Amino acid sequence: MVDTMSWKDGTLIILDQTALPSAVEFITCTNYQRVCTAVKRLEVRGAPALGAAAGFAMLLAYKELVHTTQDILTVYAKAKEEIAQARPTAVNLSWGANLMYKAATSMASTGKDLNAIYTSLEKLAMEIYTEDIRINKKMGEYGAEILPASSIILTHCNAGALATCGWGTALGVIRSGFAQGKVKMVYADETRPLLQGARLTAWELNEDHIPVTLITDNMAATTMAHKHVNIVITGADRIAANGDAANKIGTYGVALIAKALQIPFYIAAPASTFDFKLTSGEQIPIEERAPQEVRQIKTVPIAPPNIPVFNPAFDVTPAGLISGIITEYGVLRPPYKESINKLHAQVLKEDKYTWKV
Ligand code: MRU
């Protein structure tokens, strides 16, 4: 698989996901503002990839601080807000930005100089990146255990290597299961309006020779009922402390169908996708995107030019529809208030990023 992003000579190279599958092109980001633009345009997308991109964006922002005449930490805090708010739903974005900011402020308070802090921040940004791959592989191991021996899986959007720093969350589970001979077929919802399922998931699985069949979103119910789908796995962008989970628009519908057909519905997401301070999914901010995304496919109009459009990019699947949440710490089960609370305690205890050294 081609790398979603890489850090080279003080610049962030991003795979342009808007060009896939027609072309494999890269964008060079030399400042954090360009990373924010890439996030808004979905050139880089998917919750864990956004977390890592936020880390590198904060590193680029720190580099620019050498030129500031104002208070360094005030300017850095502004950059953090800009990065965290480039897209509102995936909590990983603010998670990555906050981790970097916390590290910088705490090092500054010990009197470390700018260059030394930059070196430590570079280590931390790289650690967020490499740790994400390790986390995905761990999720893959736990997830593969719960896959039926002959899995026929339906997935929505793209929660793959492209949406992370490598391997993937939902597609990571599928990759690990495939390596164990457990995956017979993956049905990929095309995922309107921006077609992450068709453009990215179908491409990614095909590249890895994992059997995949593309369907349009309105074929999900009939596919699940008549093609022996025995498990649904998706990713998530933000999970509240009660287990309600925001993911790409259409996920909620898929979860309702799964419930009606008694097919287990799983979410695969790292601890960084949990927003432990939110008590329910109602508090998750849902991004609304431009009407052109619905009125057009790429640049081709498919609706009257000024027709009113409602374009929420995500929906929230209530915890009651979720059979389990696959994390790098194991598979969480209902009651989620309890299992997520335990996860939170474990995360706080671990405090694993090593930037302090
Ligand atoms: O708008 P996108 O493409 O960023 O939406 C991505 C999703 O909804 C993914 O399913 C989610 O981020 C999980 S990625 C491992």
Side-chain angles (χ1 to χ4, degrees), residues 245-278:
N247 191 48
K248 179 52 58 196
I249 190 74
T251 305
Y252 179 24
V254 169
L256 285 167
I257 299 166
K259 184 78 169 178
L261 296 173
Q262 296 181 318
I263 297 169
F265 175 92
Y266 282 89
I267 279 182
S272 55
T273 298
F274 288 76
D275 192 338
F276 298 107
K277 67 184 181 308
L278 301 188

Side-chain angles (χ1 to χ4, degrees), residues 108-175:
S109 71
T110 66
K112 241 184 170 184
D113 71 53
L114 268 182
N115 285 336
I117 295 178
Y118 179 82
T119 307
S120 295
L121 287 179
E122 189 173 34
K123 264 197 210 158
L124 176 58
M126 282 308 299
E127 196 179 347
I128 294 173
Y129 175 87
T130 49
E131 179 63 6
D132 183 59
I133 302 172
R134 190 198 66 80
I135 284 170
N136 290 334
K137 296 224 163 129
K138 200 74 209 154
M139 260 188 283
E141 279 171 32
Y142 285 123
E145 279 173 26
I146 54 129
L147 286 182
S150 188
S151 289
I152 302 184
I153 304 163
L154 185 128
T155 189
H156 191 72
C157 194
N158 173 267
L162 291 167
T164 61
C165 300
W167 204 247
T169 59
L171 296 195
V173 170
I174 291 171
R175 278 200 169 85

Side-chain angles (χ1 to χ4, degrees), residues 47-64:
L50 292 176
F56 290 120
M58 287 292 283
L59 190 55
L60 288 167
Y62 199 82
K63 206 156 72 167
E64 288 161 34

